[in-house]
Amino acid sequence: MPTNDATAATTIKPALRSVDDALDTLLAAASALPLPALETVALEHAAGRVVAQNIYAPCAVPPHANSAMDGYAVRIVDVASGQALPISQRIAAGQVPQPLAAGTVARIFTGAPIPVGADAVIMQERAVVTEAGVNFETVPQPQENIRAVGEDIQHGQCLFSAGQRLSAADVGLLASVGIAQVPVRAALRVAIFFTGDELVTPGEPLPEGAIYNSNRYFLRPLLERLGCVVTDYGIVRDNLAQTQAMLERAAAEHEVIITAGGVSVGEEDHVKAAVQACGELDLWAIAVKPGKPLAFGKITKHPASTAHQAAFIGLPGNPVSAYVTFLLFARPYLLRRMGVQNVQPTGLPLSAAFAWPKADKRREFLRARINQNGQVELFPNQKSGVLTSCAWAEGLVDNAPSQTIAPGDLVRFIPLSALVN
């Protein structure tokens, strides 16, 4: 029975998946796969890596009671006598002190061990040194200005649980307990390539009608910051056979393939057909702005082995859409593949310094920054081809579907610092 155009269009047009539903799909798929193998790396290479086993402190920090400042180690009972007290020893950091003799004080410096017998440290600003000895303005409280053993870290304390991603500060903490080797998950091998006859590599002449490939130059460093080992296959032309061949080649040696471009529904967008020819698609078209044409699936056919599967994430070609959808969908997927459980950034409730009177039916992520008054302001041009907005922005305003915003309204602001590292 013939159908009218409206009915056919309704049948063919895919239903848009919500942002939360799409992210749940990606994270469930990542959680269902085995974690990367455990490997041990030197401490200096551990930042950004994901802990594979719980890490416990082999010693306390500090390992001995020490002075919190420059001053004098004293016995409180002696200070309370009000007498001038002679200096019996001088203790610098790294030295081993003698027990503190009764009726004396020890000149001590920040970080130096507390001598046996001393029960407080008086800062040097509250001491008066004379030929007769040292007088003090006040009588200290017990343990005043003394850092106790294990005040920072207890011996045997769990420092990091499996699945935590190490920051630079975390690595410093591991160094403070003497750990030199760290058990982490092996880095994910990620292949990237970019589709489009119009793309030109920076440094080459720009023909009429062409554009420079900007996606490559932010996607690769974003992946490397996550600790991924990246293979960059460059630009693939708008050709179905070439796209399929590249997918199969990339799948042979990588756990994940990420592309940018070619995931829309134009006649020269071949990624969807290529993925379906050598694998399957689980996700296509998200109710998000920017970035509706986002694809997720797997590649199962390639020359090496039919047993191996590589996950596929197809990002939009518009640079803002590629940037935002990578942060919102690809980044949490990759982190979950590496064993990280907490992959969602924390949003901040801040006051809007702008009006957004024309809401979209899709959930919007607006490029924004915090002004000097602590309010959120928007980049003036929010179009998906304006990469300047991403370079200018300090975060994204997460705006619900069909939600208008008036000045002074509270908005959810997601700092880019929580998304790009």
Side-chain angles (χ1 to χ4, degrees):
M1 177 181 297
T3 58
N4 59 38
D5 291 342
T7 302
T10 302
T11 303
I12 295 171
K13 186 177 180 180
L16 298 182
R17 301 276 290 274
S18 72
V19 170
D20 290 338
D21 183 36
L23 186 57
D24 287 345
T25 297
L26 268 75
L27 296 182
S31 300
L33 294 169
L35 292 172
L38 183 153
E39 65 181 22
T40 301
V41 299
L43 182 63
E44 55 266 33
H45 301 302
R49 303 298 295 272
V50 178
V51 175
Q53 297 175 337
N54 291 357
I55 301 176
Y56 299 92
C59 65
V61 177
H64 47 256
N66 68 87
S67 178
M69 58 186 57
D70 294 346
Y72 297 88
V74 301
R75 289 161 35 106
I76 295 175
V77 66
D78 293 333
V79 176
S81 71
Q83 302 294 317
L85 303 172
I87 299 173
S88 59
Q89 59 180 309
R90 181 180 184 276
I91 312 167
Q95 293 182 341
V96 179
Q98 298 296 316
L100 183 62
T104 70
V105 299
R107 180 72 167 111
I108 196 166
F109 299 92
T110 303
I114 301 297
V116 173
D119 51 10
V121 170
I122 300 177
M123 60 192 305
Q124 60 189 16
E125 291 81 357
R126 294 181 178 175
V128 178
V129 181
T130 66
E131 290 185 359
V134 185
N135 289 105
F136 299 101
E137 298 175 355
T138 60
V139 177
Q141 297 297 312
Q143 302 303 306
E144 184 173 326
N145 297 322
I146 292 178
R147 298 173 179 147
V149 175
E151 181 178 289
D152 184 11
I153 300 170
Q154 295 287 324
H155 178 241
Q157 177 182 334
C158 183
L159 300 177
F160 300 102
S161 300
Q164 288 186 256
R165 189 161 173 257
L166 297 173
S167 68
D170 296 334
V171 173
L173 189 149
L174 291 173
S176 75
V177 295
I179 291 176
Q181 301 289 323
V182 186
V184 298
R185 291 295 171 189
L188 282 178
R189 298 170 298 172
V190 179
I192 57 174
F193 65 88
F194 309 86
T195 67
D197 289 341
E198 75 281 12
L199 296 180
V200 175
T201 299
E204 297 178 359
L206 189 66
E208 186 175 354
I211 60 172
Y212 285 118
N213 179 14
S214 57
N215 289 335
R216 177 186 192 183
Y217 295 90
F218 62 75
L219 285 177
R220 180 163 186 164
L222 286 173
L223 286 164
E224 289 173 342
R225 286 187 182 186
L226 291 177
C228 298
V229 176
V230 181
T231 303
D232 185 350
Y233 289 109
I235 298 169
V236 175
R237 297 304 165 191
D238 288 323
N239 178 279
L240 176 59
Q242 290 184 27
T243 304
Q244 181 176 339
M246 182 57 75
L247 287 171
E248 293 180 358
R249 176 185 175 188
E253 297 180 350
H254 301 86
E255 285 83 29
V256 182
I257 303 169
I258 297 179
T259 66
V263 294
S264 192
V265 292
E267 293 182 4
E268 296 302 323
D269 294 318
H270 300 293
V271 172
K272 181 176 183 181
V275 173
Q276 291 174 325
C278 54
E280 58 186 73
L281 276 175
D282 301 320
L283 191 63
W284 183 270
I286 313 300
V288 63
K289 184 179 182 180
K292 180 176 72 173
L294 177 82
F296 174 70
K298 60 181 72 74
I299 307 301
T300 57
K301 289 173 56 180
H302 53 78
S305 166
T306 57
H308 175 75
Q309 293 184 353
F312 168 79
I313 299 176
L315 304 176
N318 280 331
V320 175
S321 298
Y323 183 74
V324 172
T325 54
F326 177 88
L327 298 179
L328 296 179
F329 299 101
R331 180 181 184 274
Y333 173 84
L334 294 167
L335 289 174
R336 182 61 59 84
R337 281 288 302 266
M338 292 184 277
V340 179
Q341 292 303 307
N342 184 16
V343 297
Q344 291 289 68
T346 300
L348 306 175
L350 297 176
S351 175
F354 62 89
W356 193 251
K358 295 183 179 180
D360 198 276
K361 293 182 179 180
R362 293 173 285 168
R363 186 166 165 184
E364 299 174 286
F365 290 87
L366 310 171
R367 277 74 67 207
R369 63 164 49 165
I370 301 173
N371 65 20
Q372 61 184 4
N373 298 319
Q375 293 182 303
V376 177
E377 59 184 7
L378 294 186
F379 190 78
N381 190 338
Q382 292 287 321
K383 293 181 179 179
S384 61
V386 183
L387 193 54
T388 310
S389 66
C390 296
W392 174 91
E394 297 172 344
L396 302 173
V397 171
D398 178 3
N399 192 39
S402 304
Q403 178 67 53
T404 59
I405 301 172
D409 287 351
L410 285 181
V411 297
R412 182 172 184 255
F413 180 81
I414 305 174
L416 283 177
S417 59
L419 292 170
V420 301
N421 297 310

